[in-house]
């Protein structure tokens, strides 16, 4: 009986429809995308820090990127072109330090920072007096603010351009103020050469409004159970507590209308709520290529022009050798492919036309030389020399005759010219073995009786016991009949 399938009937013959692939807008394609991964030793806090950094880089980052120990940086580099990744941030933990590498894809440069201090986002939010986290703010890219990166030195300019290019640019003519809900602050200290990274969420509150009206406008409807009328709440709004005082330096004039009572051409107050993470780091070196190129800048190692030139020549020679090996491998691959094509062409021509190639002719010639000119006449002559008489005609008749006809075997039949093996009847073989075993047992019994009858006064002591078999256990007692004659009356009574 045919086994029933577990799949329902309405799902068996359902036609597979491919989902339509929608092209992303040009703004999203051209926006800088990023990978945030971790390398080195395993640590739960570093894993959490990398996740917080991904959350800061949203929405143009791989939030659910899965990493494994077998994955290498080269694997992520190969995938970067398919996902339009422009930057890769690598947290590397060793036994001594924690470093952050920011790589510009696909050909560098690579900036290596040493992390001195860091604080996770959950610790920053839990220590704040007034916790505020808006999940909607992570749907848009943050605003980048750079402080004190205008000093002397090409490394400062390179750092500033790298941090700016990690986030999408802002067009002041088309930007909507409602999309600016977060900001990333990077502050450089020229004395200690440390960079402080902070992450804030931005809220806008109207200014010069009654506190009661402000609460009605900016928040949900408050508890009005203590008031008889809404007018009492508005009039007595000055008695309500205000958690944060307005700072005059944070007052701005808006160019566009926003929600919660923030109108254009009116003053509003900007408030920042830190949502983490915090990172304090220092630039260690800048490399030209992907983590293995020429060192353009180093914080505490300086080399002479001669050493730099020697390293440059050595690196150029290694690059030249690598290109030569690659070119040689490509030539070998092409040669193998051409040889395969020629072999296929020769075999296909031989199969179609049936012509014999020169190589086949040489093989046939070698086979004929190996066989030689052996004939029946040589065999007869050898027989005459050795025996001294003419051989019979029947002796060499079968070897010389080639008129034997083979049976006609139709195509597709299972008939074979090899003789079949005889079928063995194992039952008959077992019966024959049993019959022989019984005969052997009878023969041994008769021989034992004859020897027992011949035993008398000429028999040795204990000879009868040998034919009885000593394997029988007698309880450890001594054999009483061993010292007496085998034919006595007393021994027969005891038996």
């Amino acid at each position: 009986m045919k086994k029933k399938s577990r799949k329902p009937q309405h799902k068996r013959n359902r036609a597979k429809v491919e989902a339509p692939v929608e092209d992303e807008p040009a703004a999203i394609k051209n926006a800088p995308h990023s990978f945030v991964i971790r390398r080195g030793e395993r640590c739960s806090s570093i894993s959490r820090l990398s996740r917080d950094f991904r959350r800061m880089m949203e929405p143009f980052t791989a939030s659910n990127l899965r990493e494994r120990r077998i994955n290498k940086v080269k694997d992520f580099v190969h995938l970067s072109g398919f996902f339009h990744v422009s930057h890769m941030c690598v947290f590397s933990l060793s036994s001594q330090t924690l470093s952050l590498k920011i790589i510009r894809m696909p050909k560098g440069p690579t900036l290596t920072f040493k992390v001195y201090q860091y604080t996770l986002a959950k610790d920053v939010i839990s220590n704040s007096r007034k916790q505020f986290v808006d999940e909607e703010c992570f749907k848009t890219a943050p605003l980048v603010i750079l402080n004190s990166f205008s000093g002397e030195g090409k490394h400062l300019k390179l750092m500033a351009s790298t941090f700016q290019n990690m986030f999408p640019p802002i067009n002041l003519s088309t930007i909507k103020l409602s999309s600016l809900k977060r900001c990333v602050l990077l502050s450089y200290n020229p004395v200690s050469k440390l960079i402080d990274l902070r992450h804030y969420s931005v809220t806008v509150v109207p200014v010069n409004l009654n506190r009661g009206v402000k609460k009605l406008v900016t928040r949900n409807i408050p508890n009005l159970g203590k008031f008889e009328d809404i007018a009492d709440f508005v009039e007595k709004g000055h008695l309500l507590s205000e958690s944060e005082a307005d700072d005059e330096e944070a007052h701005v004039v808006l160019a566009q209308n926003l929600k919660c009572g923030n109108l254009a051409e009116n003053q509003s107050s900007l408030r920042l709520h830190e949502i983490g993470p915090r990172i304090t780091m220092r630039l260690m070196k800048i490399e030209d290529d992907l983590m293995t190129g020429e060192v353009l800048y180093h914080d505490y190692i300086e080399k002479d022009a001669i050493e730099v030139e020697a390293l440059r020549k050595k690196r150029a020679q290694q690059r030249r050798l690598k290109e030569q090996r690659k070119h040689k491998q490509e030539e070998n691959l092409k040669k193998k492919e051409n040889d395969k094509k020629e072999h296929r062409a020769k075999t296909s021509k031989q199969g179609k036309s049936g012509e014999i190639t020169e190589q086949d002719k040489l093989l046939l010639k070698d086979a004929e030389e190996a066989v030689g000119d052996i004939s029946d006449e040589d065999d007869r002559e050898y027989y005459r020399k050795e025996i001294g008489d003419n051989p019979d005609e029947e002796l060499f008749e079968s070897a010389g005759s080639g008129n034997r006809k083979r049976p006609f075997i139709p195509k597709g039949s299972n008939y074979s010219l090899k003789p079949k093996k005889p079928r063995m009847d194992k039952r008959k073989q077992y019966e024959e073995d049993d019959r022989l075993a019984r005969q052997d047992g009878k023969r041994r019994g008769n021989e034992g009786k004859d020897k027992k009858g011949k035993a008398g006064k000429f028999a040795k002591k204990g000879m009868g016991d040998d034919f009885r078999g000593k394997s029988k256990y007698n309880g450890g007692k001594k054999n009483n009949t061993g010292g007496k004659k085998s034919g006595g009356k007393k021994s027969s009574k005891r038996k």
Side-chain angles (χ1 to χ4, degrees):
M1 186 176 177
K2 191 176 180 181
K3 189 177 179 180
K4 292 183 179 180
S5 177
R6 294 184 179 180
K7 191 178 285 187
Q9 185 68 27
H10 65 278
K11 290 186 179 180
R12 288 180 197 170
N13 300 325
R14 182 179 292 177
K16 293 183 179 180
V17 180
E18 295 183 358
V21 180
E22 297 181 359
D23 292 337
E24 293 181 345
I28 296 176
K29 278 186 179 180
N30 298 330
H33 294 69
S34 61
F35 277 161
V36 181
I37 60 176
R38 65 181 186 279
R39 300 281 93 187
E41 298 181 2
R42 295 286 174 174
C43 181
S44 59
S45 59
I46 302 303
S47 302
R48 185 66 186 176
L49 178 64
S50 64
R51 288 196 293 269
D52 293 342
F53 202 88
R54 286 180 192 174
R55 193 168 174 81
M56 185 186 71
M57 300 293 292
E58 284 186 357
F60 302 110
T61 187
S63 303
N64 299 323
L65 183 64
R66 295 184 180 180
E67 307 167 74
R68 297 180 182 177
R69 291 188 177 182
I70 59 174
N71 295 132
K72 298 180 180 179
V73 177
K74 191 183 292 184
D75 302 334
F76 298 102
V77 172
H78 290 325
L79 291 173
S80 62
F82 180 76
F83 292 106
H84 309 288
V85 176
S86 60
H87 292 80
M88 185 163 60
C89 305
V90 184
F91 285 95
S92 180
L93 177 64
S94 65
S95 58
Q96 298 178 352
T97 58
L98 170 65
S99 62
L100 170 63
K101 295 184 178 182
I102 300 176
I103 307 169
R104 181 71 168 92
M105 307 297 288
K107 294 184 179 181
T110 302
L111 280 72
T112 304
F113 299 89
K114 181 181 177 181
V115 179
Y116 284 86
Q117 295 177 354
Y118 67 90
T119 307
L120 301 179
K122 63 175 184 178
D123 299 330
V124 172
I125 294 171
S126 61
N127 290 331
S128 60
R129 184 172 59 86
K130 188 175 182 181
Q131 299 179 4
F132 177 79
V133 179
D134 186 12
E135 295 295 333
E136 295 292 328
C137 66
F138 293 99
K139 293 182 179 180
T140 56
L143 176 67
V144 184
I145 301 173
L146 302 178
N147 183 28
S148 301
F149 279 91
S150 59
E152 296 182 356
K154 294 181 180 180
H155 62 284
L156 292 176
K157 295 180 180 179
L158 184 59
M159 271 197 300
S161 63
T162 302
F163 290 138
Q164 285 178 346
N165 294 330
M166 287 174 65
F167 301 92
I170 295 175
N171 190 356
L172 297 177
S173 60
T174 59
I175 188 67
K176 292 184 179 180
L177 296 180
S178 58
S179 63
L180 301 176
K181 296 183 178 180
R182 290 185 298 138
C183 71
V184 175
L185 174 63
L186 290 160
S187 179
Y188 177 73
N189 189 350
V191 178
S192 62
K193 298 182 180 181
L194 295 178
I195 302 169
D196 294 326
L197 186 146
R198 300 291 184 268
H199 186 208
Y200 299 95
S201 65
V202 182
T203 57
V204 184
V205 180
V207 182
N208 299 327
L209 289 179
N210 191 4
R211 292 183 179 178
V213 177
K214 189 185 294 183
K215 286 195 174 186
L216 287 174
V217 173
T218 58
R219 302 178 186 178
N220 296 329
I221 298 174
N223 185 11
L224 302 176
K226 298 180 181 180
F227 303 97
E228 296 181 358
D229 193 5
I230 188 68
D232 298 339
F233 177 78
V234 173
E235 291 175 359
K236 298 178 181 179
H238 62 280
L239 300 175
L240 300 174
S241 62
E242 183 68 20
S243 58
E244 294 184 7
D246 288 337
D247 188 7
E248 294 183 358
E249 295 181 357
H251 293 177
V252 294
V253 178
L254 299 178
Q256 298 176 5
N257 292 331
L258 296 178
K259 295 188 294 184
C260 303
N262 297 289
L263 302 176
E265 306 298 334
N266 289 337
Q267 282 191 347
S268 297
S269 177
L270 297 178
R271 295 181 181 177
L272 302 179
H273 307 273
E274 190 173 1
I275 56 178
R278 293 180 183 176
I279 298 177
T280 302
M281 54 190 178
R282 180 174 177 174
L283 179 66
M284 301 303 295
K285 65 178 179 178
I286 300 173
E287 295 172 281
D288 188 18
D289 204 352
L290 284 173
M291 304 171 67
T292 56
E294 182 183 355
V295 178
L296 303 177
Y297 168 82
H298 205 284
D299 187 30
Y300 54 87
I301 296 178
E302 293 183 0
K303 292 187 178 182
D304 299 335
I306 300 172
E307 295 178 351
V308 171
E309 188 65 25
L311 289 172
R312 192 172 296 166
K313 288 181 180 179
K314 184 179 179 181
R315 195 173 289 108
Q317 186 179 1
Q318 290 177 353
R319 195 182 300 112
R320 206 178 302 113
L321 290 173
K322 186 176 180 181
E323 290 177 356
Q324 289 178 0
R325 287 195 298 267
K326 189 175 181 181
H327 185 64
K328 190 175 181 180
Q329 288 176 358
E330 291 177 355
E331 288 181 352
N332 292 335
L333 287 173
K334 288 180 180 179
K335 187 178 179 182
K336 286 182 180 179
E337 289 178 357
N338 294 332
D339 292 343
K340 286 180 181 179
K341 288 179 181 178
E342 290 177 1
H343 181 66
R344 285 177 194 149
K346 287 180 180 179
T347 51
S348 61
K349 286 180 181 179
Q350 184 180 352
K352 291 178 181 178
S353 61
E355 296 178 356
I356 300 174
T357 60
E358 294 181 359
Q359 188 175 1
D360 296 338
K361 288 178 182 179
L362 292 173
L363 291 173
L364 291 171
K365 188 177 180 181
D366 294 340
E368 289 175 359
E369 291 177 357
V371 172
D373 298 333
I374 299 172
S375 62
D376 297 341
E377 295 295 334
D378 296 338
D379 294 339
R380 288 190 180 92
E381 188 66 27
Y382 178 76
Y383 186 85
R384 290 190 194 99
K385 287 180 181 180
E386 295 294 332
I387 304 300
D389 193 6
N390 293 325
D392 297 334
E393 293 294 334
E394 297 177 357
L395 184 61
F396 297 101
E397 186 179 359
S398 61
S401 63
N403 298 326
R404 188 179 62 172
K405 292 184 178 180
R406 293 183 177 273
F408 173 71
I409 303 173
K411 234 178 188 180
S413 63
N414 294 327
Y415 180 78
S416 177
L417 293 174
K418 294 180 180 179
K420 293 184 179 179
K421 292 181 180 180
R423 186 176 180 181
M424 302 295 293
D425 195 350
K426 293 185 179 180
R427 186 177 297 175
K428 292 181 180 180
Q429 184 180 354
Y430 295 153
E431 290 176 357
E432 185 68 19
D433 293 342
D434 293 340
R435 187 178 64 78
L436 294 174
R438 285 195 297 271
Q439 288 180 0
D440 194 13
K442 287 180 182 179
R443 182 176 57 78
R444 288 180 180 177
N446 294 333
E447 288 178 0
K449 288 180 182 179
D450 294 341
K451 289 180 181 180
K452 186 177 181 182
K454 290 179 182 180
K457 61 181 180 179
F458 297 104
K460 294 181 180 180
K461 293 181 180 180
M463 186 180 288
D465 296 336
D466 295 336
F467 292 98
R468 291 172 193 170
K470 292 183 180 181
S471 61
K472 294 182 180 180
Y473 180 67
N474 56 4
K477 297 179 181 180
K478 295 182 179 180
N479 194 356
N480 297 326
T481 61
K484 297 182 180 181
K485 297 180 179 180
S486 59
K489 294 181 181 179
K490 291 182 181 180
S491 60
S492 62
K493 287 181 181 180
R494 288 179 182 177
K495 286 180 183 179

